[in-house]
Amino acid sequence: EKGGFEHFMLKEISEQPRSIADCMRGRLDAKGGRLVLGGLRDYMNKFQNADRIIITACGTSWHAGLVAEYLFEEFARVPVEVEYASEFRYRNPVINSKDFVIAISQSGETADTLAAIELAKEKGATIFGVCNVVGSSIARATHAGSYTHAGPEIGVASTKAFTAQISVLSMMALMLGYQRGTLPESTYMQLLSELESIPAKVEKALKLNNQIEKIAAQYKDASNFLYLGRGYNFPVALEGALKLKEISYIHAEGYPAAEMKHGPIALIDEEMPVVFIATQDSSYEKVVSNIQEVKARKGKIIAVVTEGDQTVKKMADHVIEIPMAHEAFVPLISVVPLQQLSYHIAVMRGCNVDQPRNLAKSVTVE
Ligand code: F6R
């Protein structure tokens, strides 16, 4: 049932071109300029007129929420707050009927996320679910929702569910921007085709697997890792670090690259591998200077860059070249080599990648 793969995790990583396409199938038609999310139909008014979007989730799903914050703010100019469900539910948060709450959950069973939904519901907010498991508790507790259609995710470390969540949230952001008039028609049309082109680019990125396996072999004995990115790639840095720690048990931290100089830079020496997500986007130049800062302190640099990059190649110990895409959709591609890196390191360390210690696929207790 692993389809010829050694582990579910690698199978699920490799399925992403298809799972992202499945998520967009029947919803996104770039040529026809159409975007339809059935679940949103009855709530489009609430969504469009919301004063604020609150996103609540845990773990990897919370990282998808962070990507969505950038998407919604950029395309739809609506304020967004991304909340850990466990903090949100106990904080006596300010919520009202003009808030549109999006709860993200692969399993649809996460206890804290479910409790956050109940709380926001009591306060009169509209709750929209982005779940993978059909008929799950969260899917039933929300007013409406869109499934991610990634198919069953067996590996405990979430991979294809994450990219499917971002796909749904990207479609929602584009719809909202178009409806609110913050995205001009021509930009909207262009973004639709950019999004539609992502599965083919993920397919191409997957071909880097052998190169990444070789990098993994060089760093498998490291005790620490740092992951750094800015803008849309900041949540990807967090996700890369989470993937590594949960399956390989190597301590890893993700940071916005510019925060490095406020503390973590003290950790850098020749023993410290630093993974940069340094694709060609609006923060590229800034990331390049952050890379120089690490290089000056002899950190080992593994950089995910855009194909054809020349600048970072001269500074990094390893470059992983991924296809060019619109910066808003780059996380769907840039996360893939990080998933593969953590996978290979964990396998080489003899870890049980599909069922890491102390972790469960759905966290039904708080
Ligand atoms: C990480 C991971 C967890 C989950 C988190 C939320 O790989 O799997 O961090 O993302 O427990 O789970 P869901 O999305 O099912 O609510």
Side-chain angles (χ1 to χ4, degrees):
E1 79 264 44
K2 291 183 193 139
F5 290 95
E6 210 179 319
H7 299 95
F8 283 110
M9 185 181 176
L10 188 59
K11 170 175 179 272
E12 288 159 5
I13 290 171
S14 308
E15 272 170 8
Q16 288 175 111
R18 208 187 64 214
S19 53
I20 297 171
D22 285 347
C23 176
M24 302 192 303
R25 179 163 306 116
R27 294 168 163 176
L28 170 67
D29 164 19
K31 251 203 218 93
R34 264 195 315 273
L35 194 49
V36 188
L37 285 171
L40 253 185
R41 206 174 295 129
D42 294 341
Y43 286 87
M44 202 57 213
N45 244 351
K46 288 266 188 199
F47 190 36
Q48 213 175 310
N49 297 311
D51 287 343
R52 178 171 70 148
I53 293 173
I54 300 173
I55 300 177
T56 190
C58 303
T60 288
S61 298
W62 183 80
H63 295 156
L66 281 183
V67 174
E69 175 177 27
Y70 288 74
L71 289 164
F72 283 125
E73 294 201 349
E74 178 171 352
F75 294 157
R77 309 302 302 146
V78 63
V80 178
E81 279 165 39
V82 188
E83 305 273 1
Y84 282 117
S86 56
E87 287 298 315
F88 185 67
R89 63 179 288 201
Y90 286 118
R91 197 181 61 222
N92 193 13
V94 180
I95 315 169
N96 63 53
S97 59
K98 294 280 275 174
D99 289 326
F100 192 89
V101 175
I102 302 174
I104 310 171
S105 177
Q106 187 287 127
S107 63
E109 302 298 341
T110 303
D112 280 318
T113 309
L114 195 53
I117 291 169
E118 297 300 346
L119 174 72
K121 233 192 334 196
E122 263 167 44
K123 309 232 179 199
T126 301
I127 326 287
F128 192 86
V130 176
C131 295
N132 195 42
V133 177
V134 176
S136 55
S137 305
I138 291 175
R140 283 181 281 120
T142 45
H143 293 110
S146 288
Y147 285 115
T148 42
H149 296 309
E153 191 180 65
I154 312 291
V156 162
S158 189
T159 54
K160 65 174 180 172
F162 175 70
T163 47
Q165 289 164 344
I166 295 176
S167 303
V168 168
L169 294 159
S170 300
M171 290 188 280
M172 290 177 74
L174 292 176
M175 274 176 92
L176 190 62
Y178 186 60
Q179 295 296 333
R180 284 168 64 97
T182 47
L183 270 185
E185 171 112 27
S186 59
T187 316
Y188 172 74
M189 294 293 284
Q190 196 192 328
L191 288 165
L192 291 184
S193 43
E194 292 279 356
L195 186 55
E196 207 172 60
S197 73
I198 294 296
K201 293 177 182 176
V202 172
E203 186 76 63
K204 202 164 173 214
L206 283 169
K207 303 215 160 72
L208 301 166
N209 192 47
N210 292 343
Q211 185 207 348
I212 291 166
E213 193 172 356
K214 291 194 190 102
I215 298 174
Q218 286 187 52
Y219 295 95
K220 67 175 174 31
D221 297 318
S223 346
N224 296 286
F225 261 81
L226 212 51
Y227 286 74
L228 302 173
R230 302 175 77 122
Y232 283 98
N233 281 319
F234 154 54
V236 175
L238 298 184
E239 176 60 7
L242 178 62
K243 285 294 86 103
L244 186 70
K245 65 188 125 184
E246 68 182 332
I247 62 166
S248 75
Y249 318 137
I250 295 176
H251 170 243
E253 289 196 59
Y255 266 97
E259 273 295 305
M260 185 179 59
K261 59 173 77 64
H262 299 284
I265 198 164
L267 295 167
I268 292 168
D269 61 13
E270 55 286 339
E271 303 287 298
M272 177 66 98
V274 184
V275 178
F276 273 98
I277 307 105
T279 50
Q280 247 131 44
D281 56 29
S282 46
S283 33
Y284 178 71
E285 304 294 330
K286 300 279 178 195
V287 179
V288 168
S289 32
N290 298 136
I291 294 176
Q292 276 158 341
E293 289 156 8
V294 170
K295 181 111 189 121
R297 288 160 185 84
K298 302 194 165 55
K300 296 283 178 297
I301 296 160
I302 302 164
V304 176
V305 299
T306 307
E307 262 168 13
D309 183 288
Q310 293 303 322
T311 312
V312 175
K313 194 172 275 168
K314 293 190 199 105
M315 301 185 272
D317 297 275
H318 312 270
V319 291
I320 298 166
E321 297 186 55
I322 61 169
M324 167 79 99
H326 187 285
E327 69 173 328
F329 308 130
V330 162
L332 291 164
I333 309 170
S334 57
V335 75
V336 174
L338 306 189
Q339 295 167 340
Q340 291 171 324
L341 182 65
S342 63
Y343 170 79
H344 289 298
I345 290 179
V347 169
M348 287 168 192
R349 288 167 69 96
C351 299
N352 185 349
V353 290
D354 283 336
Q355 282 196 300
R357 68 187 183 202
N358 310 339
L359 292 173
K361 187 62 188 163
S362 55
V363 183
T364 53
V365 291
E366 69 168 288

